[in-house]
Amino acid sequence: TLLFSLTSALVLLGLGILIWLSMDRHFADEDYVVLGDNVRLIQKIAQEQSSTHLPSRLAEMVEHHPGFVAHVSTAKGDVIYRTNGFDFGAMLNVIGRLGPDETTLSWQQGDKEYRGMRAHATVPGESVPLAVMVGMDTEIHAHFMHAFRRSLAFYTTLAVLASGLFGWWAA
């Protein structure tokens, strides 16, 4: 009965971890799709706007995406737009460690986790593209995953106890 209960616990725990990791990967993939869409929107705005109107148009775009932050700068490092009140230091540190072909990143800032993406945007009449860095707060996914882990632990424990009890009864 003890061996049966232990085997059941290991199988259920393994299945739970597999589901948890799959869901976490799925949320990351969804976040990067959303970030990619926002990068393409910034690139489209940059192609359609003169450099004088670009900051105001980017501000309008970012305001309509809660939890989304953006930093757009020239190749020389002059900031065209940055989300007000957000410290981009941690994001820039992570970007500095990325390889030339890496475009996605994640970082911890305070008690929040962020996912981000970097890209370039061309502006008409400019020979060098703009550096675009975007990020989003993953709090809603973290909250869901925390609740899911608690539920998973509860039901796994309940299933192990039930299988042990029924295994003992059957034996």
Side-chain angles (χ1 to χ4, degrees):
T1 302
L2 186 60
L3 182 60
F4 177 73
S5 297
L6 183 61
T7 303
S8 296
L10 289 175
V11 168
L12 291 170
L13 185 63
L15 182 61
I17 290 171
L18 179 66
I19 291 169
W20 172 60
L21 291 174
S22 296
M23 288 176 63
D24 193 45
R25 183 75 244 154
H26 173 73
F27 283 141
D29 290 344
E30 279 185 351
D31 289 346
Y32 289 126
V33 166
V34 169
L35 287 167
D37 290 343
N38 287 325
V39 163
R40 284 185 287 284
L41 183 57
I42 289 172
Q43 290 169 332
K44 183 177 181 202
I45 290 170
Q47 288 175 350
E48 294 174 352
Q49 298 298 312
S50 67
S51 57
T52 56
H53 294 115
L54 188 56
S56 62
R57 287 281 301 163
L58 291 173
E60 288 174 21
M61 183 221 130
V62 172
E63 286 176 13
H64 290 89
H65 294 89
F68 177 74
V69 295
H71 185 281
V72 180
S73 60
T74 64
K76 295 177 187 174
D78 298 329
V79 176
I80 302 289
Y81 174 80
R82 69 181 290 149
T83 302
N84 287 331
F86 188 80
D87 180 14
F88 284 92
M91 180 186 202
L92 293 171
N93 286 337
V94 172
I95 286 176
R97 293 188 304 263
L98 292 179
D101 294 335
E102 293 178 278
T103 59
T104 61
L105 60 139
S106 62
W107 74 97
Q108 193 80 20
Q109 190 160 325
D111 61 344
K112 292 186 177 185
E113 185 177 334
Y114 290 85
R115 289 193 178 104
M117 186 174 278
R118 70 176 177 174
H120 291 94
T122 57
V123 178
E126 300 289 329
S127 59
V128 181
L130 300 175
V132 176
M133 295 169 281
V134 296
M136 66 186 298
D137 181 359
T138 62
E139 183 177 4
I140 191 165
H141 295 227
H143 178 70
F144 175 83
M145 290 302 290
H146 180 70
F148 176 74
R149 281 192 303 269
R150 276 193 325 227
S151 296
L152 185 63
F154 173 75
Y155 286 113
T156 300
T157 302
L158 189 64
V160 167
L161 291 173
S163 67
L165 181 65
F166 289 133
W168 174 78
W169 180 71

